[in-house]
Amino acid sequence: MGRLKNKVVLITGATSGIGEAAALRFVNEGAKVFLTGRREDVLSLLTEKLGKESADFLAGDISKENVNREIVEACLKKFGRLDVTLLNAGTEGAAAPIPDYPIEAFDELMAINVRGVFLGLKYSIPAMTQSGGSIVITSSIAGLKARGLGNSAYVASKHAEIGLMRTAAMENARNGIRVNCVLPGPTETRMMRAIESNRSPGAPEKAKEEVMAGLPIGRYGTVEEVTNLILFLASDESSVCTGGVYTADGGLSAY
């Protein structure tokens, strides 16, 4: 308890999965959280659950520059500071070989996964410069490995997130701002359900069996397990960690 006591945390993609789990865990660890995502109704319910003294939200599309600026401004207005940013929003996109991949789908995925992270860094960093803090980017094992077929845009975006992280870490190390990436492997989330459906239309359970067969631990991770790692990087326990790529992938990156 209390590993984030008196810390203010901004979380993107907070409406489900890892983002929602992180919000719940962080408040339990003493943090105040400012949440964002596209679904205002879900954010409102989560804020009520967390308690309005500990949480607030602003719905919006993080691929838009004005939304990122407004989110940080609203967080500072509500809580007076920003100590941790979890850039968690992302999408899996379409599934198709490169020659058949729709340009519009490619651009939409890049806008969310890459432009959204860039803008999150652009507006979070100035808010953290005076006091320092931690920025954690939820990337993916796809940032290291091009696993599966038909996911070129997703794989490219996750590699790009790692590049943004490393650049931001080097630019801000002397400012006391740490920047790291967490790379989940297959995890029990809505996104993984969508990936399974893309890989095996009409029989997603078959895709899940195939994925699990290739996992050294023989199972998917949970959002709580991924959040454990994010919590470490968000907290002062990881004060010497910056510019790092941390996997939570059940051993998938070992081979």
Side-chain angles (χ1 to χ4, degrees), residues 46-145:
L46 181 56
T47 298
E48 291 283 350
K49 183 176 182 178
L50 295 169
K52 291 188 176 181
E53 71 284 353
S54 297
D56 202 354
F57 73 92
L58 180 64
D61 178 355
I62 52 86
S63 71
K64 309 298 184 184
E65 183 173 13
N66 66 302
V67 170
N68 284 270
R69 181 177 60 250
E70 290 165 6
I71 288 165
V72 172
E73 289 174 350
C75 177
L76 294 175
K77 182 177 180 180
K78 172 69 176 184
F79 295 119
R81 58 184 294 156
L82 178 59
D83 302 292
V84 178
T85 299
L86 173 57
L87 298 175
N88 173 74
T91 183
E92 70 280 357
I98 290 174
D100 301 325
Y101 205 98
I103 295 297
E104 297 80 6
F106 182 92
D107 289 344
E108 180 181 5
L109 184 144
M110 287 293 176
I112 296 169
N113 291 7
V114 181
R115 179 182 167 92
V117 167
F118 171 78
L119 290 170
L121 292 167
K122 180 178 177 65
Y123 286 98
S124 291
I125 287 168
M128 302 168 77
T129 298
Q130 289 189 340
S131 58
S134 174
I135 300 174
V136 182
I137 300 168
T138 306
S139 186
S140 165
I141 191 63
L144 299 178
K145 292 177 173 287

Side-chain angles (χ1 to χ4, degrees), residues 199-219:
R199 287 188 180 182
S200 182
E205 65 282 353
K206 179 181 178 182
K208 182 173 184 178
E209 290 173 3
E210 292 174 351
V211 172
M212 286 199 298
L215 284 169
I217 66 169
R219 66 172 178 85

Side-chain angles (χ1 to χ4, degrees), residues 125 132-133 165-179 239-243:
I125 287 168
M165 175 276 294
R166 287 175 170 152
T167 304
M170 295 302 95
E171 289 181 354
N172 293 281
R174 296 297 178 92
N175 296 329
I177 300 173
R178 300 179 294 106
V179 192
S239 55
V240 76
C241 300
T242 194

